[in-house]
Amino acid sequence: MQEVRQRPARRSRVWPVTGATLLALVLMLLLVGADGVLAAVMPSLIAVGAVALAAWAIWRSHTDRVAYEARLTRWAASEAVLAERLRLAGDLHDIVSHGLGLITVRAAAARLSGDPGEAREALSDIESAGREATAELRRMLTVLRTAGDAGPRQPAEDLGRLPAIVSDARATGVRARLTLEPMGPVSPGAQVAICRTVREALHNVARHAGPSDVRVHVHRDGDTVVASVHDSGPDGPWPGTPGAGHGLIGVRERVTGLGGTLHAGPVEQGFRVVARIPDREPG
């Protein structure tokens, strides 16, 4: 969970002090009698003091503003670093959790089946998943080691990746079916959020329910894009693999960051994840 860091407040005592001092000068002027040398000199002294006080107030206000802007710059830089660290943590979670999760699930399925042919197929899937995870980790390390913004970046996911995401889930034994209705133009941010939601939900099904029927339905409901992943629960005893618990949290933060909602919970014998993301259709 991201630590909440308050924006630096701009506090200055210049104007309260200036006002109090001017009030004191006015009172002194009122208390001075109409006769004598003091009556002739005091107004001039008070006028000079007021001008000097105004000059000091302007200088001090400028100094306070410069100091505040410096604090604000440091705060913004700190927030940017924290946001980048959270983004990298999310990417690492996707790479490590999904890759190792696929390997674990396929190994468990092969062990439970006892079929030599299934074991060979599982080993092939495990090798493929291991190679893909290793390549992704190398890509991320290259980004981290490259100064500036010149490092390679993975293209943002779009709805065209959904069939491949569902196909990857089928390799774990999950019987997933995808229904992707025509939705017209969808913003890039919403497309990435949908892909992350579907991938994480399918990964959780493979981890906790094993081979089961899953329906993935992505459609538009007015000005809202809806992604639903609903599984029927495990067919029988399944050794669920516990996770770190950060997957759905990260997806929820991404969806709510776009103004949407994420609901996840048990339904009948299975589990359902529904993301609703506002995305106005042009025209």
Side-chain angles (χ1 to χ4, degrees):
M1 187 68 67
Q2 181 173 353
E3 179 185 356
V4 178
R5 302 184 181 184
Q6 293 184 350
R7 181 189 180 99
R10 183 177 180 180
R11 299 184 180 92
S12 177
R13 298 180 180 178
V14 173
W15 299 115
V17 171
T18 303
T21 305
L22 287 175
L23 180 60
L25 292 175
V26 171
L27 291 176
M28 290 175 60
L29 181 60
L30 293 176
L31 292 175
V32 173
D35 300 327
V37 178
L38 188 60
V41 176
M42 185 58 70
S44 299
L45 294 177
I46 291 177
V48 172
V51 172
L53 180 63
W56 172 84
I58 295 173
W59 170 80
R60 185 57 186 269
S61 178
H62 172 74
T63 303
D64 289 346
R65 186 177 70 252
V66 171
Y68 167 73
E69 291 176 352
R71 293 196 308 272
L72 189 63
T73 300
R74 291 193 297 269
W75 172 81
S78 177
E79 288 296 297
V81 170
L82 179 60
E84 182 67 9
R85 288 175 59 188
L86 291 176
R87 186 190 67 80
L88 291 175
D91 290 345
L92 282 173
H93 169 270
D94 290 343
I95 294 171
V96 176
S97 179
H98 295 160
L100 294 182
L102 174 60
I103 292 173
T104 302
V105 170
R106 289 299 285 136
R111 178 177 60 83
L112 293 176
S113 69
D115 183 3
E118 174 68 20
R120 286 192 297 270
E121 184 178 351
L123 287 175
S124 176
D125 292 338
I126 289 172
E127 180 184 7
S128 176
R131 291 181 183 277
E132 182 176 353
T134 301
E136 287 296 308
L137 285 174
R138 285 175 179 167
R139 180 193 64 81
M140 178 161 289
L141 290 176
T142 301
V143 171
L144 293 175
R145 289 170 178 165
T146 302
D149 296 329
R153 296 292 190 268
Q154 185 177 12
E157 292 183 313
D158 55 27
L159 297 181
R161 280 282 301 160
L162 286 177
I165 293 173
V166 174
S167 178
D168 291 342
R170 293 195 190 104
T172 67
V174 173
R175 298 182 295 273
R177 295 184 297 109
L178 171 64
T179 302
L180 178 59
E181 298 183 4
M183 294 185 293
V186 179
S187 66
Q191 295 191 51
V192 173
I194 290 171
C195 290
R196 292 292 178 91
T197 301
V198 171
R199 178 186 285 107
E200 183 63 31
L202 289 174
H203 179 61
N204 286 340
V205 172
R207 176 188 293 160
H208 299 292
S212 62
D213 295 317
V214 185
R215 183 187 177 191
V216 180
H217 187 199
V218 180
H219 65 284
R220 180 182 287 279
D221 182 12
D223 290 338
T224 302
V225 176
V226 183
S228 172
V229 181
H230 184 192
D231 69 84
S232 60
D235 294 339
W238 175 257
T241 305
H246 300 305
L248 282 180
I249 294 177
V251 171
R252 187 183 303 276
E253 290 180 349
R254 180 180 290 273
V255 171
T256 55
L258 295 173
T261 59
L262 181 75
H263 297 284
V267 177
E268 298 176 351
Q269 301 298 319
F271 198 86
R272 181 167 60 192
V273 176
V274 180
R276 300 181 62 89
I277 305 170
D279 189 80
R280 184 178 298 275
E281 185 176 7

